[in-house]
Amino acid sequence: MRTFLVVTDDSEESRAALRFAARRAVAVDGAVHILALVPQQNFSAFGAVQATIEQEARDRAEMLAHGVAGNLLAESGIMPTISVKIGNGQKIVSEYLADHSEVAALILGAAKGSNPGPLVLHFSAHSGELPCPVYIIPSDYDETDSDHEV
């Protein structure tokens, strides 16, 4: 089954990327995998405090991902798979792609302005080294208003 990997957070560009991935998955009878990233906290001399902060961030990311998944299910009928990972986003996504040959495309949302985001900058620069295509979706992209077909 073709799987579309979407890295998500609570941004508008992330929601645009998810809508794009869902439409592609519906068109090819594929799947969507939502990857929510939690940045690793800087080292704290108080390990328990650091662990608590990371757990709270992970809990927020999981709630966000489940909310997004519910919206996706309601809009497209696709129930996505969800993963929440703590650490460096570029490394996590690269490792995920290396370990999951079923991923047909990496879908990233680009922020408005001159800085599209760290993942977009990194993966667009290294797209020739990836095992799948990278789709970069503008934050205000709406296929229902475009003349592109699925």
Side-chain angles (χ1 to χ4, degrees), residues 48-129:
V49 172
Q50 180 177 347
T52 300
I53 292 170
E54 284 182 352
Q55 185 59 45
E56 288 174 357
R58 182 180 180 85
D59 291 345
R60 279 192 306 276
E62 285 180 2
M63 286 188 333
L64 170 70
H66 284 284
V68 168
N71 290 341
L72 181 64
L73 178 62
E75 291 175 10
S76 67
I78 293 177
M79 185 58 184
T81 305
I82 299 169
S83 294
V84 178
K85 303 284 184 179
I86 297 174
N88 176 291
Q90 297 166 0
K91 182 179 178 187
I92 290 169
V93 173
S94 295
E95 289 172 354
Y96 188 90
L97 292 173
D99 293 342
H100 293 86
S101 60
E102 74 276 7
V103 175
L106 171 61
I107 314 291
L108 299 173
K112 288 184 182 180
S114 62
N115 183 6
L119 292 178
V120 171
L121 289 173
H122 175 78
F123 287 107
S124 62
H126 295 90
S127 60
E129 301 165 12

